[in-house]
Amino acid sequence: MMVFDFMRLEDVDTKGKTVFLRVDVNSPLDPNSKKILDATRIRAIEDTLKSLKDAKVVFGAHQSRPGKYDFTSLETHSRVLQMYHNGKVKYVDDIDGTKAQKEIKELEVGEILVLNNLRMHKDENIDASPEELAKTSMIQNLAPYFDLCVNDAFPAAHRAQASLVAFGELMPMIAGRLMEKELSALNKVIYKPNRPCVYLLGGAKVDDRIPVIKRVLKDNIADSILIGGLIRESFHMAQGMMKERYLSLKDEEKKLVDEAGEILNKYDGAIELPVDVALDVKGERVELMVDAITDESNIYDIGLNTIAHFSERIKNAGTVVAEGPLGMFERRGFDIGTKELLRAMADSLAYTVVGGGHMGGMASMLGIDERMKHVSTGGGAMLSLLSGEDLPVIDAMAKAKKRWG
Ligand code: 3PG
């Protein structure tokens, strides 16, 4: 078992204190209305908020990344939070400026002040060590107002951004309840997973997934990896499919395809790709074997033969770790792969772990989340942890304990 050495809420007195609470409420948003489609991550921090009911809470979080359609303010998130804490939640359209500072000073015990999307601040997007990040203006402007920092942002634990790692340089940084719960549940699958250990990977973050796939295969953590979602495309391109589309990719995307090819060569048989896919043809789902894929194919899901094969692999597994939807589940008719494989997991006797906002949200929508051994709020963070990577947030909390504990 990995020993996570950090301070917990039991170790500190938060009564009357002003606490910077870093959470991860990055949520799927409706592309048009920008409404929150799934509030699981907001609900998941309730235990921590309950533990901080005698404190003044300054709530810091991000939503998406600059340049993306869902990169929005946190006002909507604060309204959802208000539903659970009626009258106790305020929102300020500022991060570290005079408006935010005034609101923090006026905060009363039991209140929660939501700051704007931290990634709207230039300092949150700087790549540097925690020591350097502690000197940035965002951290310097905010730190004097806080007695301590509670870090409950497990889904962002693999990111080394200022608000996630730098406050521990200046004040005690303590793990929140969600952080603790996630780490203790995932610890069970880190070193000795029941065999065979099957990873089911989908989603669109190919750049995040390729290093994870390499690590879990190199270190013998996973016995096989079932691939769907957009990452499937990189592997199929590496096999020579969709040549025109490959040529139109940016250099960094081509590099990922090359890496996918190296993985296929090195770990022959461990990667299982879909044998068929589902296309959108004039709004209808049409099944197609992969050897018939062309550059024009609009692929939105894995096919029915693949679903049957992957379900069988899940049924016979000792451990199943799933992250990222297998298809574009938001579109009617293209959610079948994601739903059926989650159902196969719910029926399996394996130690089942579901990660990432989309998969967790879908499992709860299907009413089968309770039948999983663990539903993690983390996607990339969960995979990084399971593949043995050091997570910057965990390192920063350990360092804070040495300094302040
Ligand atoms: C997530 O949703 O996985 C986390 O919030 C991290 O988001 P990021 O990949 O944009 O850093």
Side-chain angles (χ1 to χ4, degrees):
M1 286 288 211
M2 193 181 275
V3 180
F4 295 116
D5 196 19
F6 43 68
M7 287 179 281
R8 291 160 165 79
L9 279 161
E10 292 74 36
D11 302 328
V12 289
D13 179 14
T14 55
K15 203 163 177 213
K17 303 268 166 63
T18 305
V19 175
F20 176 68
L21 174 63
R22 180 52 162 105
V23 294
D24 186 339
V25 290
N26 188 12
S27 306
L29 302 189
D30 181 279
N32 301 315
S33 66
K34 304 279 188 301
K35 278 199 181 128
I36 293 176
L37 294 173
D38 175 55
T40 305
R41 282 185 175 173
I42 302 182
R43 280 199 307 275
I45 51 174
E46 274 308 299
D47 274 356
T48 303
L49 286 171
K50 261 189 216 130
S51 302
L52 292 174
K53 64 181 188 327
D54 294 334
K56 306 170 189 177
V57 176
V58 180
F59 183 107
H62 67 274
Q63 170 64 39
S64 192
R65 302 178 184 181
K68 298 234 169 168
Y69 83 90
D70 52 351
F71 185 60
T72 61
S73 87
L74 289 192
E75 195 171 1
T76 321
H77 304 64
S78 74
R79 275 195 241 116
V80 174
L81 202 60
Q82 188 71 269
M83 292 185 331
Y84 305 109
H85 301 268
N86 203 2
K88 298 267 169 82
V89 181
K90 297 174 170 178
Y91 168 75
V92 61
D93 178 24
D94 189 13
I95 293 170
D96 64 336
T98 47
K99 264 204 279 183
Q101 292 174 4
K102 179 172 174 290
E103 293 288 343
I104 298 172
K105 270 193 278 186
E106 288 172 3
L107 208 53
E108 291 189 10
V109 166
E111 288 184 333
I112 302 167
L113 174 69
V114 179
L115 301 177
N116 200 359
N117 185 346
L118 297 172
R119 287 188 179 170
M120 290 188 175
H121 198 294
K122 64 171 180 28
D123 293 348
E124 186 71 348
N125 303 302
I126 295 175
D127 190 12
S129 66
E131 295 84 347
E132 287 301 314
L133 293 172
K135 294 178 198 148
T136 58
S137 59
M138 180 175 82
I139 302 297
Q140 289 290 320
N141 289 341
L142 287 171
Y145 294 92
F146 305 145
D147 298 301
L148 48 98
C149 168
V150 173
N151 200 321
D152 218 16
F154 175 73
H158 57 323
R159 303 292 182 223
Q161 295 186 308
S163 68
L164 289 158
V165 298
F167 283 112
E169 300 288 319
L170 306 170
M171 66 190 75
M173 181 158 76
I174 291 120
R177 301 276 180 225
L178 175 67
M179 182 73 81
E180 269 195 77
K181 183 175 152 209
E182 291 272 11
L183 295 177
S184 100
L186 293 172
N187 216 350
K188 297 197 177 74
V189 268
I190 293 181
Y191 284 123
K192 288 206 173 119
N194 299 337
R195 302 284 174 177
C197 175
V198 175
Y199 273 50
L200 173 65
L201 300 181
K205 292 181 183 171
V206 189
D207 51 340
D208 269 9
R209 299 297 173 266
I210 295 279
V212 168
I213 293 172
K214 280 189 190 164
R215 266 195 314 274
V216 293
L217 290 176
K218 179 172 148 289
D219 295 341
N220 235 345
I221 295 171
D223 298 297
S224 51
I225 301 188
L226 318 177
I227 305 264
L230 206 60
I231 53 172
R232 171 206 56 78
E233 199 163 278
S234 301
F235 283 91
H236 275 154
M237 281 184 180
Q239 290 182 324
M241 292 177 208
M242 293 176 288
K243 290 203 170 63
E244 293 290 315
R245 238 190 253 188
Y246 171 78
L247 290 174
S248 68
L249 294 179
K250 295 185 193 130
D251 284 350
E252 61 269 25
E253 292 166 334
K254 281 190 184 141
K255 202 170 149 268
L256 293 171
V257 174
D258 296 345
E259 287 185 53
E262 283 160 24
I263 294 171
L264 288 173
N265 285 336
K266 196 158 172 190
Y267 302 100
D268 187 28
I271 300 283
E272 298 195 33
L273 297 174
V275 291
D276 58 350
V277 290
L279 262 56
D280 180 345
V281 179
K282 297 191 184 132
E284 291 301 315
R285 179 182 172 109
V286 173
E287 304 280 324
L288 188 76
M289 296 310 283
V290 292
D291 50 11
I293 290 176
T294 67
D295 279 296
E296 282 69 45
S297 303
N298 290 322
I299 300 167
Y300 289 118
D301 198 7
I302 54 174
L304 297 180
N305 292 301
T306 306
I307 294 173
H309 173 64
F310 283 7
S311 298
E312 199 56 25
R313 308 284 284 114
I314 289 169
K315 189 174 147 203
N316 297 319
T319 304
V320 184
V321 175
E323 209 286 312
L326 284 304
M328 201 183 256
F329 69 96
E330 299 91 339
R331 292 178 67 145
R332 203 175 51 86
F334 296 98
D335 52 1
I336 299 178
T338 305
K339 284 183 173 169
E340 287 308 312
L341 294 183
L342 280 169
R343 286 194 181 107
M345 285 179 72
D347 291 340
S348 167
L349 297 176
Y351 192 94
T352 45
V353 177
V354 174
H358 291 126
M359 291 294 263
M362 181 64 95
S364 83
M365 215 186 79
L366 294 172
I368 54 175
D369 48 337
E370 308 262 301
R371 288 164 61 199
M372 305 292 172
K373 292 287 184 301
H374 180 60
V375 178
S376 174
T377 54
M382 177 193 82
L383 289 178
S384 297
L385 181 75
L386 294 184
S387 61
E389 202 183 293
D390 289 331
L391 303 190
V393 167
I394 298 179
D395 289 348
M397 290 192 306
K399 193 169 165 208
K401 180 177 176 187
K402 282 204 189 98
R403 181 175 294 191
W404 308 99

